[in-house]
Amino acid sequence: MLSGPIVRPLVMFALPIAATSILQQLFNSADVAVVGKYAGPNALAAVGANTPVINLLINLFVGLSIGANVVIAHLIGQNDNSEIKKAVHTSISLALISGVLLMAIGQVAARPIVVALSTPPEVVDDTILYLRIFFVGMPFLMLYNFTSAIMRSYGDTKRPLIVLTISGVINVLLNLLFVAGFDMSVDGVAIATVVATAFSAISLLLMLMRSKTNVHVSLRALMLDKRMVGRIASVGLPAGMQGVVFSFSNVLIQNGINSLGAKAMAAATTAINFEYYTYFLANAFGQAATTFIGQNYGAGQIDRCRKIIKTCWAGGIISTLVMAAAIVVYAEPLCYLYTSDAVVVSLAVVRIYMVTAFQFVNSVIEVTSGILRALGHSVVPAIICVMGVCGVRVVWLYTAFSYSPTYEVLTAVYPFSWIITSISIVVAFVWVWKRKIVGIL
């Protein structure tokens, strides 16, 4: 990461991250397809209604794993082994603590949250059941996020991909066993997800425990170093808040979708599966920017950082455009893989045309946010996303959607908010680079 060519190593770093997330989503899509085909539209709607809620509750802590990635990458660039050890073991401790906390919150808050979201009565019980079972696996999900972040910090993105491939196969097989074989519903999907996540987390932890590198993990050395927690939190909490803001706005939109009925909920659940594929490509180049710039900025190599920034922007935009084009062209037949309901499919196709097609704009937000975090300015993208994403979407819900409460009007808020936010965050990056980085030289 610190010398030699940039494009090939960066792409080879980013693609396994994207492949890992896309593979995970393919397996999640298999979950949705199994539920839609064997348990019906209501169960499909219940699973989909949980996605924004889950993201809202976990993103703050997922942000801490991003903070761990940045801090450890900086320390690797500085070759400070003593500090790396503290950062790694503090990160694992944070993962376990946050996982247990989220598990408890999920059990207590499930019903109030689901009811507050105007969830249709016919899917309330299934939605609550799925949410509670899913949150039992929170310690494993947090452990997976932090262990994979530690691996990314020193350039290992391939082993998480291998582990997730095996985990996904386990998930799909258990889904078929529980839902198709044992006639279970959302409970079967949730249990399968928890088991597969536990496998992923434990596998990556064992790899780090057996590692001979400077990110080796020893359970006896687990700690919460106050200074290191502060460093991780200074980057991770703003990143987490940015994720929370996105999720909060999506929860509000989910509330609007719920008000349109179970068909609209099922359509959104179907279409979102394809949105994730394009988003994961953008996010992968954002993570590549965070890690590559983190190490090079830590080593004082500003010129190399400049080349990495250009490569990440180009990679994020081009890859999301290519993926989105393929999905848009085959939108209708792809949607029929999840449901045979023509109304649900037609609404899902509308969302694909209006949201997935514009994910390349969101890639600018993701990559630029990753760049700013690596440069030590994690608060900047968080503030911009609060104003540009959440603010715009809240205003839209209470103006445009309130005036014309249709599925199409509600869906249009995504590209509109992305365009405003992407322009704002690029302007902020230029200001930070000129005033804070170039000004130092």
Side-chain angles (χ1 to χ4, degrees):
M1 292 187 185
L2 296 172
S3 62
I6 290 174
V7 176
R8 187 178 183 279
L10 193 147
V11 171
M12 294 305 294
F13 177 92
L15 288 183
I17 295 177
T20 299
S21 299
I22 290 172
L23 187 63
Q24 187 173 32
Q25 186 56 38
L26 281 171
F27 290 129
N28 290 342
S29 298
D31 296 352
V32 173
V34 170
V35 170
K37 293 290 186 180
Y38 292 99
N42 286 348
L44 178 62
V47 172
N50 275 296
T51 302
V53 176
I54 290 169
N55 289 340
L56 176 63
L57 292 175
I58 71 173
N59 269 344
L60 183 62
F61 298 99
V62 171
L64 288 177
S65 71
I66 296 173
N69 184 358
V70 173
V71 170
I72 296 171
H74 279 178
L75 294 172
I76 291 173
Q78 297 164 5
N79 198 29
D80 193 334
N81 290 330
S82 176
E83 291 294 286
I84 291 172
K85 180 179 179 181
K86 291 179 183 178
V88 167
H89 288 89
T90 296
S91 298
I92 298 295
S93 299
L94 283 173
L96 297 174
I97 293 169
S98 60
V100 171
L101 180 61
L102 281 167
M103 180 174 63
I105 291 173
Q107 304 311 308
V108 174
R111 180 169 291 276
I113 290 173
V114 170
V115 172
L117 287 175
S118 304
T119 306
E122 64 268 27
V123 299
V124 165
D125 290 340
D126 279 348
T127 304
I128 294 170
L129 177 61
Y130 181 90
L131 193 61
R132 284 178 170 162
I133 295 173
F134 185 92
F135 270 85
V136 170
M138 276 299 110
F140 298 114
L141 183 59
M142 289 297 103
L143 185 60
Y144 172 80
N145 282 322
F146 277 82
T147 51
S148 59
I150 292 169
M151 288 183 166
R152 284 196 305 272
S153 68
Y154 72 90
D156 186 356
T157 58
K158 294 180 181 178
R159 286 193 294 175
L161 173 60
I162 295 171
V163 168
L164 194 66
T165 302
I166 300 171
S167 170
V169 172
I170 293 171
N171 194 9
V172 171
L173 292 177
L174 289 178
N175 271 318
L176 290 171
L177 176 64
F178 294 151
V179 179
F182 295 163
D183 202 28
M184 298 172 72
S185 184
V186 296
D187 51 344
V189 174
I191 292 170
T193 300
V194 170
V195 173
T197 304
F199 170 83
S200 298
I202 293 171
S203 296
L204 292 187
L205 179 62
L206 290 174
M207 288 178 183
L208 288 175
M209 291 173 65
R210 294 171 181 171
S211 174
K212 303 300 182 182
T213 67
N214 52 8
V215 295
H216 168 78
V217 171
S218 170
L219 297 181
R220 293 181 179 181
L222 292 181
M223 66 175 77
L224 274 178
D225 183 86
K226 291 183 180 179
R227 185 173 54 81
M228 199 58 68
V229 170
R231 290 186 63 178
I232 292 172
S234 67
V235 177
L237 287 181
M241 285 305 302
Q242 182 177 339
V244 168
V245 166
F246 270 104
S247 298
F248 178 70
S249 64
N250 287 336
V251 166
L252 294 178
I253 294 172
Q254 184 66 46
N255 192 30
I257 293 172
N258 292 355
S259 70
L260 298 175
K263 297 277 189 181
M265 292 172 66
T269 301
T270 301
I272 285 171
N273 283 281
F274 303 110
E275 291 166 29
Y276 283 140
Y277 299 136
T278 49
Y279 168 77
F280 290 144
L281 285 166
N283 180 258
F285 281 95
Q287 291 191 47
T290 297
T291 303
F292 273 69
I293 295 172
Q295 283 201 22
N296 283 276
Y297 184 60
Q301 300 186 156
I302 303 301
D303 285 341
R304 190 170 174 83
C305 288
R306 188 178 288 109
K307 295 176 183 177
I308 293 168
I309 290 168
K310 294 177 181 178
T311 303
C312 288
W313 269 335
I317 292 171
I318 293 171
S319 61
T320 50
L321 277 172
V322 172
M323 177 66 77
I327 293 171
V328 167
V329 169
Y330 297 102
E332 187 170 332
L334 286 171
C335 289
Y336 270 112
L337 295 175
Y338 294 89
T339 178
S340 55
D341 190 307
V343 174
V344 172
V345 168
S346 65
L347 290 173
V349 169
V350 168
R351 177 161 177 144
I352 289 174
Y353 288 165
M354 298 182 71
V355 180
T356 304
F358 286 90
Q359 275 282 8
F360 73 94
V361 181
N362 193 28
S363 74
V364 176
I365 301 172
E366 287 294 319
V367 172
T368 311
S369 295
I371 294 167
L372 287 167
R373 282 193 288 267
L375 296 175
H377 293 272
S378 191
V379 175
V380 175
I383 292 175
I384 291 173
C385 287
V386 167
M387 298 170 61
V389 176
C390 189
V392 169
R393 292 179 183 180
V394 170
V395 171
W396 187 278
L397 283 169
Y398 289 101
T399 55
F401 182 66
S402 179
Y403 177 76
S404 180
T406 66
Y407 187 83
E408 290 78 9
V409 169
L410 183 61
T411 303
V413 71
Y414 287 99
F416 185 72
S417 62
W418 286 340
I419 290 169
I420 292 175
T421 306
S422 64
I423 294 171
S424 302
I425 203 167
V426 169
V427 170
F429 161 74
V430 172
W431 184 88
V432 167
W433 184 264
K434 288 184 176 180
R435 299 294 180 89
K436 303 293 185 179
I437 308 301
V438 177
I440 295 174
L441 301 180

